[in-house]
Amino acid sequence: MPKRKVIHREKPKEKFSYDPKKVLSKLEEYGRSVLEAIKSGKNPYFDIPMRGLNNVYFDEKSRLIKMGDKLSRRYFLNVAHARKFMQTLLIMAYVKRLVSEGKHASLREAYYANKHTIPGTRENTFEDQRESDPIIEDLERMLGVLREEMHITADRRGYIYGDIVIRDGEDEFNASKLGSGGWAVPGTVEHIQFPEINVDYALVVETAAMADRLIEEKFPKKENALIIATQGQASRGVRRLIHRLHYEEGLPIIVFTDGDPYGWYIYSTIKQGSINLAYLSDKLATPEARFVGMTMDDIKRYGLENVTEKLKGIPPNKKGGPTGDYKRILEEMEYPWFQNREWQRQLKLALKWGVRIEQQALANKSLEFVAKEYLPEKINSGDLLP
Amino acid sequence: MPKRKVIHREKPKEKFSYDPKKVLSKLEEYGRSVLEAIKSGKNPYFDIPMRGLNNVYFDEKSRLIKMGDKLSRRYFLNVAHARKFMQTLLIMAYVKRLVSEGKHASLREAYYANKHTIPGTRENTFEDQRESDPIIEDLERMLGVLREEMHITADRRGYIYGDIVIRDGEDEFNASKLGSGGWAVPGTVEHIQFPEINVDYALVVETAAMADRLIEEKFPKKENALIIATQGQASRGVRRLIHRLHYEEGLPIIVFTDGDPYGWYIYSTIKQGSINLAYLSDKLATPEARFVGMTMDDIKRYGLENVTEKLKGIPPNKKGGPTGDYKRILEEMEYPWFQNREWQRQLKLALKWGVRIEQQALANKSLEFVAKEYLPEKINSGDLLP
Amino acid sequence: MAEASQLFKEFKIQSVSEFFRRNAAMLGYTGKVRSLTTLVHEAVTNSLDACEEAGIPPYIRVEIEELGREHYKVVVEDNGPGIPEKYITHVFGKMLAGTKAHRNIQSRGQQGIGISGAVMFAQITSGKATRVITSTGDEIIEAWVKIDVDKNEGKIVKKEKHPNPDGWHGTRIELEVKNVKYMRSKQGVYWYLKLTAIANPHAHIELIEPDGKLIVFPRSSEEVPEPPVEMKPHPKGVLTDDVYRMAKKTKRQSVRRFLIGEFSRISDKKVDELIEYVAALRLIKKVGDKKVQEQLYERLMKGEVKAVLRSFRGYTKVVKQVAKMMEKPPEKLTWHEAEEIVEAFKYMKFLAPPTHGLRPIGEENIEKGLKGILKPEFVTAVTRPPKVYSGGIPFQVEVGLAYGGEIPSGFELLRYANRVPLLFDAGSCVTTQAARSIDWKRYKVDDLDRTPLVLMINVVSVHVPYTGTGKQSIASVDEIYNEIRLAIMDAARRLQTYLSGKHRRLYQVKRKKTFEKYVPEIARALSVLTGESEEKIREYFLNFIESHFASKEAVEVSENA
Amino acid sequence: MAEASQLFKEFKIQSVSEFFRRNAAMLGYTGKVRSLTTLVHEAVTNSLDACEEAGIPPYIRVEIEELGREHYKVVVEDNGPGIPEKYITHVFGKMLAGTKAHRNIQSRGQQGIGISGAVMFAQITSGKATRVITSTGDEIIEAWVKIDVDKNEGKIVKKEKHPNPDGWHGTRIELEVKNVKYMRSKQGVYWYLKLTAIANPHAHIELIEPDGKLIVFPRSSEEVPEPPVEMKPHPKGVLTDDVYRMAKKTKRQSVRRFLIGEFSRISDKKVDELIEYVAALRLIKKVGDKKVQEQLYERLMKGEVKAVLRSFRGYTKVVKQVAKMMEKPPEKLTWHEAEEIVEAFKYMKFLAPPTHGLRPIGEENIEKGLKGILKPEFVTAVTRPPKVYSGGIPFQVEVGLAYGGEIPSGFELLRYANRVPLLFDAGSCVTTQAARSIDWKRYKVDDLDRTPLVLMINVVSVHVPYTGTGKQSIASVDEIYNEIRLAIMDAARRLQTYLSGKHRRLYQVKRKKTFEKYVPEIARALSVLTGESEEKIREYFLNFIESHFASKEAVEVSENA
């Protein structure tokens, strides 16, 4: 039996719930309301929660970025709205077909499926995917459902490795028995279930190379951890998976990124959601996630001065500055969830030293170092950032 | 029993072979020769096959891009060479340690592991990964081995789905029983074995969205195919996997990309290797691969005029042209393996119409269309490009 | 060491003509094409000025005949008042001679070296005399004029007189030149005359090109502009030397009369004021304490002359002295006194200089000129009110804008100073800078380089501030720059209105169509969502659109009623 | 309609001075700082020229005294030969008068309007006469000179004579001016004199600034340059008018003598040749068939004059006619004949024009000038051989390069034409363009803007092709541009050699270190690969490096021996 760890699985907070009928009934409701308006000679419209910074706020209580209540009204009889009104209806009808037939489509497929020339004109219903993507986003906000629930899949990226059993449709398999490859996370994870979970926590890793290193060093087995490789910024599928593993399965989430503004932003997105997708925060974000590294303190503590890299851009005290990494750090210092002593300290140190430190820089000590010393030490002593 | 297909598994041409000892003995041999030179007062050097277009040719017989026999000599006592000479030895020593300990490292880890300040100077052994990567490439050419054989892993990208059993170390699993996620192809596939293969051919698919579509439509099962998603340009791991599946397991390779210069380039790389990696062609390339689509003829044949996109860049007959897609097409028309009637026709049509066609544009017909009509029709009638 | 007297043995005196012979480029005789244009310019300018002064609608004919390689005969004939016999040598033979150079007057040429320069250029390139045929209505005089370069004198080589039964008046000159070239470029004669015709719609101008082709720029206005009048100098614009020298020459009886009579904006009362200022300045000059002195100057600048005076004991004595000076004969005015007067001018306030001497083309005539020559679809012109630059020099800006019609695509700027086309050095010209500074997109001109648009700018002034002696580019004086911009913006706004109106009518039709075309799409989608038939949904939507536009038209009609 | 005679009532004749009074900017009197510099320039140029012509090492003192706001007294004194009494009014009072303007000679000034322009500028701004004190060694004359602007005549307002017991010779002039400003800017007097001193190392120049500060630019060379000599015009550079007018004035007996005597590169034999060419041209002109005619012209251009002549029947008769023309008195030469001669010149070959009249500063003197004034660490100069532009105008380029020492960081270009500093319009000057076109990195000047480098360029010619009448910028003539580039590149190569030598010594030490520092790294890696001890491997490598550099030094020493 493994020794008692500081980090261990907790009590679940949410239940698995996914109901396609909810989406269908909402769509039909909107259709009927348009029809009624036009019948009675009124200009039909949709009310769409506004996107953008103006309609976003940080909810201190839930500690999530949330969408405000500003609406924009999209009329049929308005030269500036008419085309979008038509497009909204087209996508709504398409989603209805997808969901009722149990099919999934990518954003690109949804675009192509709905693109055609409007009879008697040289105009297409959609000229460009840049027209259909925002309509789908609008629908997410209007209906309050994830695009995945509308059966429109996100780009997939990321894989997992560790001793958990996954049920995907008829298949059931253990994600630690798939060789070194791990299991590729699909675009949609709504339908996936976890019949068996034998790990204490999930370690979210920014780079594939680092995840592979940990797999090669047998870290998941030794430390009873699930590795989730995001391969850069976490895809929606991975973020939803993290959310579900935490809330439905009670897995503590620990994030391991490069020690640079981009890495910290990845952490921030997993933890709080992003401004673009604020309306989905309560389905995609995991505010309880914690951060193991890399931190600025690691540089001194593990003697990594030699393998830091310079921050890109112009520092704030130089002419033309701040730009690049410096600008990003200054922005991150303003994030509400970084308003604590520990994070402010890290960010200030980065500014002061003008350096960044990568996960893989730990290889400078030895290949095993990260798996045998760095991570176990920090995680088991609870040396984590909020 | 499935009906007899046009495309079916063939007799294997290569055997599984991977011997770490070969790499080690080569490294030691080079070390000894340097030592002997310096002992006898001679300026020690390495002979490194030159990189670049000048040392690359298309071998008509094997139908592969191959490396020529031009060498560049790297001396110790030469101001322009000394630093690289030192770096070459450092990486050689590192590879020796990796291989003998059975460890793998990423390019970035190899950089960090060997980076340190040279005593008594402010100079680092490597200032930048841009210094270590070429040295590793040099070693591939010098030793005639893949970087994966030196235990330096490539970035991973791509996944597979289909009824084959994979053995990776102690794990054995069926790549069609992993839900919709498929199996993520690791950076190194040298050590992977295939105890069981129940498919007729491998379909290499450019986009994840299309691969997911085919999985959702149960194409692999219905058509007895293995889906290999490259997710853009095929990674070295995927290309090596394709090569091995073809030569060691006799699987015919059929490639399915977007109908645009980038998609055709992906096909070209899978088929013939790339100029950058010419020296690895006989391990990475699969000249027998064939191409199912998208082609320019598909546009007319399936009535997709409405969902083509314009080529990017300036056509050759306009001022400032050709640039962008046009330039790329003109370059591809010069590739030796595209010197046949079918390909020249497709490329000329693209130039003439000035359009491209994506895989996902087929969704304009219906979501099922690609899996139920397009691919089965073309593949089973052998309507493939060489 | 050489003896000084020996060194000076070679000392000789150069004549003006000799000087200019060596510096022909100063006068615009540089480059084969440009030289020919300059030659024609000098002759045509003379003709236009002569006709205007006499109130005759000009009829000018230019003929360029090719005699050999880079060898031409240039004929310019007008229906002007003609030249009296005794002035012929002066007009054509002597540099720096003319009716305007010494007067404060707006004119096309400005230095009185123009036509004699042309005669000299012809002479030094071809060796030939210039043939002049002229009549003031009496007998016709035919004269061959040459310039004695050494003496700066014209001389008539040969002269004949002919009877003039029809009372013809006018002047025809024939110049034979070498080292020039006729080309239809933007710096050539054709382009020059076209631009001249635009700016002078009251003139009929014809050109016969070397290949015999006749080009007519017909008259589009019958109104001959008033000749410019001389303007008296404004006190703010004069130097001590001007006052001193004018005083020496005047026929007035006293300094006071002289000031009132020969300067603008000086009245009897102003002279009284002047006396106080001069007295105050005399007194201030004697103050020892520099700080106090500075303060007094400042107060004077504020107009507190009486207070300043009163701060000196016995100031009335000084005032009386100055008053006395005003009554003495002007020729007795000393340099120092002139200096005192000019200094006092700087502290005094005067009305802006008079502008009645300025002769803009006028909005109506600009429009006529542009219409007549360019045949555009739309034309407008703006003549700004006169303004002053540099404290005392009046000027006026006008702008014409022509769009579409027979104008080819592309923006064209036609520059003029006192109606004279400027063909060279466009880059450094304030007109170019001002035209470029305009944000044309704001005026519905989205792509300036593809819009059929011609902009003409005419800067009118007694003294146009050219950037160089070539007089082909106007210096960037802030006041002028701003006036040009204002004028262009005004004209551009009118163009914008025109362009908008053109588009508005098409717009309502288009708008209704915008909604209608989406109806089938919407109906199909809504049918999927609700189960209602497509046919019916289409009907609902089309009815809704129809009723909306019907009510909308009603509203617009009543608004216009 | 107005009567012509009435219109001409106002017709008056302007004097040259009047003309220039209205166009002072043409002469450089524009802007308060520049006007003062122009004034000083005119006086200093006169002084330098006078001293040189007399073979005296110049000692020039300039004093600027501030009399009031924008009101100065400018004193320029030299130790030149002095001016004979009767020439004083001409020198200072009459425009276009001088000893050089009418001669084909290289000089600092060129139009003979310089110093009289200064006198006039002083007069119209301050009203004061210019005080001239001069002596040729006899009595000292003190004269107050004014210009009668209307008559273009100098007049002496007051004159005194003083005994001269010490035999002083020289000239001192005192000008009182207003509307100018003294500033130590790059367009001011200080900078102008500094640049003048660099280009005239034989001159001692002193400046007393308005605040009383004395600045001395001491003489660094004792050699007074030879005065420039007059050069006869070259046949390729003359116009018909030149030949015609010179023929009218010459005292020679025949056209032949006239051509030989008053043009350069024309010998008796050349006149015989000329006769054949003129005859050939006469014959060709009569050919009817245009094609045949063109062919004949081409053959003539190739020099086949005899063959061309022989192709005409009875050509000897024509040759005889032309030969006869050469023997007639030159004043009887007609315009047409002069034209024929000039046309023939175009087809003939002549030696390049003589260049003995050009007076470059010389490499040695440029180096002295730069060293004396700038105190650099390194200096070099290049004087190119004379060249010809435009077919017949000789010119010469020289360049000086000074580096390091007391020169501050940053590149500075000092421009001269005939030793006269050019302070304005640098952008359009061929010298600037040529200097910018140089790829300085090729000469070890990696960052031009941070290198302490001064480049001086002097263009020497009888006729410098200025871009404008301001004479502050040299036109971009290809031949001159190329010569400047060649000169700069030559000088830059020398600078490169200097800079390389400085760096080379440090280089060998660095190089050895390069190899040594890698040895520990290599040893560790090689030890891993081969199992041999690090210690030993290090030793092998270090020994190898040591023996290599020992043998290398030996080789270099023997090469230098």
Side-chain angles (χ1 to χ4, degrees), chain B residues 275-298:
Chain B
I275 289 159
N276 280 339
L277 301 178
Y279 54 102
L280 303 172
S281 289
D282 52 2
K283 294 194 171 176
L284 288 179
T286 311
E288 286 84 0
R290 278 178 294 169
F291 185 80
V292 61
M294 305 293 292
T295 66
M296 287 293 112
D297 286 333
D298 289 341

Short mmCIF file of all heavy atoms in Angstrom, two decimals, chain B residues 275-298:
data_model
loop_
_atom_site.label_atom_id
_atom_site.label_comp_id
_atom_site.label_asym_id
_atom_site.label_seq_id
_atom_site.Cartn_x
_atom_site.Cartn_y
_atom_site.Cartn_z
N ILE B 275 14.15 17.55 -48.09
CA ILE B 275 15.52 17.93 -48.42
C ILE B 275 16.35 18.09 -47.14
O ILE B 275 17.50 17.71 -47.08
CB ILE B 275 15.48 19.22 -49.26
CG1 ILE B 275 14.94 18.87 -50.64
CG2 ILE B 275 16.85 19.85 -49.37
CD1 ILE B 275 14.38 20.05 -51.39
N ASN B 276 15.73 18.62 -46.10
CA ASN B 276 16.43 18.77 -44.82
C ASN B 276 16.92 17.44 -44.28
O ASN B 276 17.96 17.37 -43.65
CB ASN B 276 15.50 19.35 -43.76
CG ASN B 276 15.36 20.84 -43.91
OD1 ASN B 276 16.23 21.46 -44.51
ND2 ASN B 276 14.30 21.39 -43.38
N LEU B 277 16.09 16.44 -44.45
CA LEU B 277 16.40 15.16 -43.82
C LEU B 277 16.73 14.11 -44.88
O LEU B 277 16.46 12.92 -44.71
CB LEU B 277 15.21 14.70 -42.97
CG LEU B 277 14.79 15.66 -41.85
CD1 LEU B 277 13.58 15.13 -41.12
CD2 LEU B 277 15.93 15.88 -40.87
N ALA B 278 17.34 14.57 -45.97
CA ALA B 278 17.62 13.67 -47.09
C ALA B 278 18.42 12.45 -46.65
O ALA B 278 18.19 11.34 -47.11
CB ALA B 278 18.40 14.43 -48.16
N TYR B 279 19.30 12.67 -45.70
CA TYR B 279 20.19 11.59 -45.27
C TYR B 279 19.41 10.49 -44.53
O TYR B 279 19.97 9.48 -44.18
CB TYR B 279 21.30 12.15 -44.40
CG TYR B 279 20.80 12.96 -43.23
CD1 TYR B 279 20.77 12.43 -41.96
CD2 TYR B 279 20.37 14.27 -43.43
CE1 TYR B 279 20.30 13.19 -40.90
CE2 TYR B 279 19.90 15.02 -42.38
CZ TYR B 279 19.87 14.48 -41.12
OH TYR B 279 19.40 15.21 -40.08
N LEU B 280 18.16 10.74 -44.22
CA LEU B 280 17.38 9.77 -43.47
C LEU B 280 16.28 9.16 -44.32
O LEU B 280 15.44 8.42 -43.83
CB LEU B 280 16.76 10.45 -42.26
CG LEU B 280 17.77 11.12 -41.33
CD1 LEU B 280 17.06 11.92 -40.28
CD2 LEU B 280 18.67 10.08 -40.71
N SER B 281 16.29 9.51 -45.61
CA SER B 281 15.20 9.09 -46.47
C SER B 281 14.93 7.59 -46.37
O SER B 281 13.79 7.17 -46.29
CB SER B 281 15.50 9.46 -47.92
OG SER B 281 15.41 10.84 -48.09
N ASP B 282 15.98 6.77 -46.37
CA ASP B 282 15.69 5.34 -46.43
C ASP B 282 15.18 4.80 -45.10
O ASP B 282 14.88 3.63 -44.99
CB ASP B 282 16.91 4.56 -46.95
CG ASP B 282 18.15 4.89 -46.17
OD1 ASP B 282 18.04 5.69 -45.22
OD2 ASP B 282 19.22 4.36 -46.49
N LYS B 283 15.07 5.67 -44.10
CA LYS B 283 14.44 5.21 -42.86
C LYS B 283 13.10 5.90 -42.62
O LYS B 283 12.30 5.42 -41.83
CB LYS B 283 15.37 5.48 -41.68
CG LYS B 283 16.62 4.65 -41.75
CD LYS B 283 17.37 4.63 -40.46
CE LYS B 283 18.50 3.61 -40.55
NZ LYS B 283 19.32 3.62 -39.34
N LEU B 284 12.91 7.02 -43.24
CA LEU B 284 11.71 7.80 -42.95
C LEU B 284 10.71 7.83 -44.10
O LEU B 284 9.53 8.07 -43.88
CB LEU B 284 12.09 9.25 -42.60
CG LEU B 284 12.75 9.49 -41.25
CD1 LEU B 284 13.08 10.95 -41.08
CD2 LEU B 284 11.87 9.00 -40.11
N ALA B 285 11.18 7.65 -45.31
CA ALA B 285 10.28 7.84 -46.45
C ALA B 285 9.64 6.53 -46.90
O ALA B 285 10.13 5.45 -46.59
CB ALA B 285 11.07 8.45 -47.61
N THR B 286 8.53 6.67 -47.59
CA THR B 286 7.78 5.51 -48.09
C THR B 286 7.36 5.79 -49.53
O THR B 286 6.23 6.24 -49.78
CB THR B 286 6.54 5.28 -47.21
OG1 THR B 286 6.92 5.30 -45.83
CG2 THR B 286 5.88 3.95 -47.54
N PRO B 287 8.27 5.56 -50.48
CA PRO B 287 7.97 5.95 -51.86
C PRO B 287 6.75 5.25 -52.45
O PRO B 287 6.17 5.76 -53.39
CB PRO B 287 9.24 5.54 -52.63
CG PRO B 287 10.29 5.35 -51.59
CD PRO B 287 9.61 4.99 -50.31
N GLU B 288 6.35 4.11 -51.88
CA GLU B 288 5.20 3.40 -52.45
C GLU B 288 3.88 4.00 -52.01
O GLU B 288 2.81 3.53 -52.43
CB GLU B 288 5.24 1.92 -52.05
CG GLU B 288 6.29 1.11 -52.80
CD GLU B 288 7.66 1.22 -52.16
OE1 GLU B 288 7.77 1.93 -51.12
OE2 GLU B 288 8.62 0.63 -52.67
N ALA B 289 3.89 5.01 -51.15
CA ALA B 289 2.64 5.62 -50.71
C ALA B 289 1.87 6.15 -51.92
O ALA B 289 2.47 6.56 -52.92
CB ALA B 289 2.93 6.74 -49.72
N ARG B 290 0.54 6.12 -51.82
CA ARG B 290 -0.27 6.69 -52.89
C ARG B 290 -1.26 7.71 -52.32
O ARG B 290 -1.45 7.79 -51.11
CB ARG B 290 -0.99 5.57 -53.65
CG ARG B 290 -0.04 4.96 -54.69
CD ARG B 290 -0.68 3.83 -55.44
NE ARG B 290 -0.95 2.70 -54.55
CZ ARG B 290 -1.70 1.66 -54.91
NH1 ARG B 290 -2.24 1.62 -56.11
NH2 ARG B 290 -1.91 0.66 -54.07
N PHE B 291 -1.88 8.44 -53.21
CA PHE B 291 -2.62 9.63 -52.80
C PHE B 291 -4.07 9.52 -53.24
O PHE B 291 -4.36 9.33 -54.43
CB PHE B 291 -1.96 10.85 -53.46
CG PHE B 291 -2.54 12.16 -53.03
CD1 PHE B 291 -2.16 12.74 -51.82
CD2 PHE B 291 -3.45 12.84 -53.83
CE1 PHE B 291 -2.68 13.96 -51.43
CE2 PHE B 291 -3.97 14.07 -53.44
CZ PHE B 291 -3.58 14.62 -52.23
N VAL B 292 -4.99 9.65 -52.29
CA VAL B 292 -6.40 9.50 -52.65
C VAL B 292 -7.09 10.85 -52.92
O VAL B 292 -7.97 10.96 -53.76
CB VAL B 292 -7.16 8.70 -51.57
CG1 VAL B 292 -7.11 9.41 -50.22
CG2 VAL B 292 -8.61 8.43 -51.97
N GLY B 293 -6.67 11.87 -52.21
CA GLY B 293 -7.29 13.19 -52.40
C GLY B 293 -6.76 14.17 -51.38
O GLY B 293 -5.93 13.77 -50.57
N MET B 294 -7.20 15.43 -51.38
CA MET B 294 -8.13 16.00 -52.35
C MET B 294 -7.39 16.38 -53.64
O MET B 294 -6.26 16.82 -53.60
CB MET B 294 -8.77 17.26 -51.79
CG MET B 294 -9.46 17.07 -50.45
SD MET B 294 -10.93 16.01 -50.56
CE MET B 294 -12.02 17.05 -51.51
N THR B 295 -8.10 16.18 -54.77
CA THR B 295 -7.53 16.57 -56.05
C THR B 295 -8.40 17.65 -56.67
O THR B 295 -9.54 17.88 -56.24
CB THR B 295 -7.48 15.38 -57.02
OG1 THR B 295 -8.83 15.00 -57.33
CG2 THR B 295 -6.76 14.18 -56.42
N MET B 296 -7.85 18.27 -57.67
CA MET B 296 -8.60 19.31 -58.38
C MET B 296 -9.79 18.69 -59.11
O MET B 296 -10.86 19.29 -59.22
CB MET B 296 -7.68 20.03 -59.39
CG MET B 296 -6.67 20.95 -58.72
SD MET B 296 -7.45 22.38 -57.92
CE MET B 296 -7.13 21.99 -56.21
N ASP B 297 -9.58 17.45 -59.60
CA ASP B 297 -10.68 16.78 -60.29
C ASP B 297 -11.88 16.56 -59.37
O ASP B 297 -13.03 16.58 -59.82
CB ASP B 297 -10.20 15.43 -60.83
CG ASP B 297 -9.29 15.62 -62.05
OD1 ASP B 297 -9.46 16.65 -62.74
OD2 ASP B 297 -8.43 14.77 -62.28
N ASP B 298 -11.59 16.37 -58.07
CA ASP B 298 -12.68 16.16 -57.11
C ASP B 298 -13.69 17.32 -57.14
O ASP B 298 -14.88 17.12 -56.93
CB ASP B 298 -12.12 16.04 -55.68
CG ASP B 298 -11.38 14.73 -55.47
OD1 ASP B 298 -11.59 13.79 -56.28
OD2 ASP B 298 -10.58 14.65 -54.53
#
